[in-house]
Each structure stands twice: as structure tokens, then as C-alpha cells.
């Protein structure tokens, strides 16, 4: 029975889905995944390349932000399921034009290099399931029940994946504590727990009120912190 269970992270599930359908996005199944260091080098290169007219024009208008600042902004935007145009039109960032221009150039370089970055795995998996409903139906038949742990740490892209994979029948359970958010730097938002309840109004809530890992002294201190 255990062999029939798929236990994985969001990103590994998405990577597996994209391996099978990479051709739909101009890649092959041998695509490479760029980490943060790889992407920093790509961003640095694009910012320094005088032949990239759109980037140079944006730099002339906005000034030059740091490559780390650009990289973080693009990462957060991808996890919010934005694209360069939506980001530029909706962002209040002083260098939004530069960030959007660099993002477009990054997309071209990644596609040319048969690669995605870590954040693309989520965004393109959402696109796959949204744009190819027949594939989503097949996944629903394969993964009949879904359990997601640490739901307070999901971002918009991850929450959308859960909604898509859970399907209209709502065969999905989540475990989370809105007082224990860790990954805000990746766009995590505990409001997704409330949104989950709205999406599935007939859900059942089970409160896990007993703690088997911490002593009373630790729990009392934690509760006093959370109370503020």
C-alpha cells in the first residue's frame, strides 16, 4: 500500500510534472534547474550587458538597483503568479521597470538554456494544470486524496496548486498553524488557511490541542508570545 503513496515537496512534485510536459513550454525533459546562485549570475550578466536595449533604457530611467534586490523581487512575483507585465503595472517598486525588463530577458535566457529556476517550477506547474485540464483530470484519478502539511507556509502559487490538485470535490486535508509562519520571505501568507475554509465551506476542522513534544514551560512561554 505504501508504494502507492506519493510523498514529496511542492517543488519536486512540480518538477516531475514538468519533466513529462516540458515540451509545452519550449524545454525538453532533460531541463536544468537553476538555483539562487545560478540566477544571480544570470541577473548580473543581464544588468551589465550593454546590448540589451530594454534593460539599458529602464536603467537610464530608474537607476540601477542591486542584483540581489532584482532577484528577490522577481522571485516574489513569480510566487504570486505574476508575469513581467502584471508586475510592472501593479508594483510600487522604484525600479519596477528595470525588474520587469530583466525578468523578460531572464525568461529568454532560461528557455534558450533549457532551464527553469526554482520558482518557475511552481509557476509553470500551475500554468500546466490551468491550461491543460485533461492532464489535471488524469492527476485527479491518480491522486485521489491530498494531504498538505505546514499550510501556513504556502505562498499563492502553492495554494493554487493545492486548489487545482484537490479539485472541486475537495478530497484534500491541510495541517497548519497561522501562529507559526516561517517562510514569509518566499511569500508565505497564513491567510491562505482562511481562504481554504472559504473555498470548501463544508470542511471539517479538527483542533490538535495536545502537544507531545514540548514541556509545559515552553508551551506557556510560547502562548504568552503568541498572545501579543
Amino acid at each position: 500500500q505504501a508504494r502507492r503513496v506519493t510523498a514529496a515537496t511542492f517543488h519536486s512534485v512540480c518538477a516531475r510534472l514538468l519533466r513529462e510536459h516540458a515540451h509545452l513550454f519550449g524545454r525538453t525533459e532533460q531541463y536544468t534547474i537553476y538555483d539562487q546562485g545560478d540566477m544571480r549570475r544570470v541577473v548580473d550578466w543581464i544588468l551589465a550587458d550593454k546590448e540589451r536595449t530594454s534593460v539599458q533604457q529602464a536603467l537610464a530611467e530608474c537607476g540601477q538597483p542591486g542584483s540581489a534586490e532584482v532577484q528577490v523581487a522577481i522571485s516574489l512575483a513569480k510566487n504570486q503568479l505574476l508575469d513581467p507585465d502584471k508586475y510592472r503595472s501593479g508594483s510600487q517598486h522604484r525600479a519596477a521597470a528595470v525588474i520587469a525588463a530583466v525578468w523578460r530577458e531572464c525568461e529568454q535566457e532560461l528557455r534558450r538554456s533549457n532551464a527553469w529556476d526554482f520558482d518557475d517550477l511552481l509557476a509553470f506547474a500551475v500554468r500546466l494544470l490551468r491550461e491543460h485540464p485533461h492532464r489535471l483530470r488524469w492527476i485527479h484519478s491518480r491522486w485521489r486524496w491530498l494531504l498538505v502539511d505546514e499550510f501556513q507556509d504556502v505562498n499563492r502559487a502553492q495554494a493554487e496548486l493545492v486548489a487545482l490538485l484537490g479539485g472541486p470535490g475537495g478530497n484534500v486535508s491541510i495541517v497548519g498553524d497561522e501562529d507559526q509562519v516561517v517562510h514569509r520571505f518566499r511569500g508565505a501568507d497564513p491567510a491562505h488557511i482562511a481562504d481554504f475554509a472559504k473555498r470548501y465551506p463544508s470542511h471539517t476542522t479538527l483542533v490538535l490541542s495536545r502537544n507531545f513534544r514540548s514541556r509545559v514551560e515552553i508551551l506557556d512561554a510560547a502562548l504568552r508570545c503568541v498572545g501579543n
Side-chain angles (χ1 to χ4, degrees), residues 15-35:
R16 185 183 309 179
L17 292 174
L18 291 174
R19 292 278 177 205
E20 300 175 16
H21 298 86
H23 65 281
L24 297 173
F25 303 105
R27 275 82 165 176
T28 72
E29 63 181 14
Q30 287 80 34
Y31 72 82
T32 301
I33 300 174
Y34 281 19
D35 63 19

Side-chain angles (χ1 to χ4, degrees), residues 10-217:
F10 277 104
H11 290 87
S12 62
V13 166
C14 293
R16 185 183 309 179
L17 292 174
L18 291 174
R19 292 278 177 205
E20 300 175 16
H21 298 86
H23 65 281
L24 297 173
F25 303 105
R27 275 82 165 176
T28 72
E29 63 181 14
Q30 287 80 34
Y31 72 82
T32 301
I33 300 174
Y34 281 19
D35 63 19
Q36 288 185 327
D38 298 324
M39 286 306 300
R40 177 67 59 82
R41 287 187 284 273
V42 173
V43 170
D44 284 338
W45 174 44
I46 289 173
L47 284 170
D49 188 353
K50 302 300 182 184
E51 300 299 319
R52 298 182 187 271
T53 306
S54 61
V55 175
Q56 293 302 313
Q57 288 177 346
L59 287 170
E61 295 173 5
C62 304
Q64 180 152 349
S67 58
E69 184 180 3
V70 173
Q71 186 178 1
V72 167
I74 293 174
S75 174
L76 286 174
K78 286 182 178 181
N79 284 309
Q80 292 169 354
L81 298 178
L82 301 176
D83 57 34
D85 292 334
K86 289 181 180 177
Y87 173 79
R88 180 172 183 179
S89 63
S91 175
Q92 301 298 316
H93 197 290
R94 59 179 178 79
V98 174
I99 294 166
V102 171
W103 186 353
R104 293 189 191 96
E105 295 293 330
C106 285
E107 291 287 320
Q108 294 182 16
E109 290 301 327
L110 287 168
R111 183 166 182 167
R112 182 184 63 80
S113 302
N114 191 33
W116 273 301
D117 76 5
F118 202 58
D119 300 304
D120 285 329
L121 297 178
L122 299 175
F124 278 83
V126 169
R127 281 188 56 187
L128 171 67
L129 299 180
R130 281 177 173 175
E131 297 172 9
H132 301 276
H134 64 286
R135 175 61 181 172
L136 181 58
R137 287 194 294 271
W138 183 86
I139 292 174
H140 286 162
S141 68
R142 179 184 176 189
W143 293 337
R144 296 167 57 194
W145 298 282
L146 186 67
L147 169 65
V148 185
D149 197 12
E150 305 291 3
F151 198 78
Q152 77 279 353
D153 282 325
V154 302
N155 56 39
R156 182 182 175 190
Q158 292 166 330
E160 183 65 17
L161 276 169
V162 172
L164 288 165
L165 294 173
N171 289 337
V172 54
S173 299
I174 64 168
V175 182
D177 183 349
E178 60 270 29
D179 293 325
Q180 296 187 35
V181 182
V182 175
H183 294 290
R184 280 200 184 276
F185 65 96
R186 286 193 179 276
D189 187 349
H192 292 304
I193 293 179
D195 291 340
F196 179 90
K198 293 176 183 177
R199 185 184 293 270
Y200 301 110
S202 61
H203 72 281
T204 298
T205 300
L206 302 177
V207 179
L208 305 180
S209 58
R210 297 185 65 185
N211 187 305
F212 297 94
R213 296 187 298 179
S214 301
R215 292 173 51 162
V216 172
E217 297 90 338

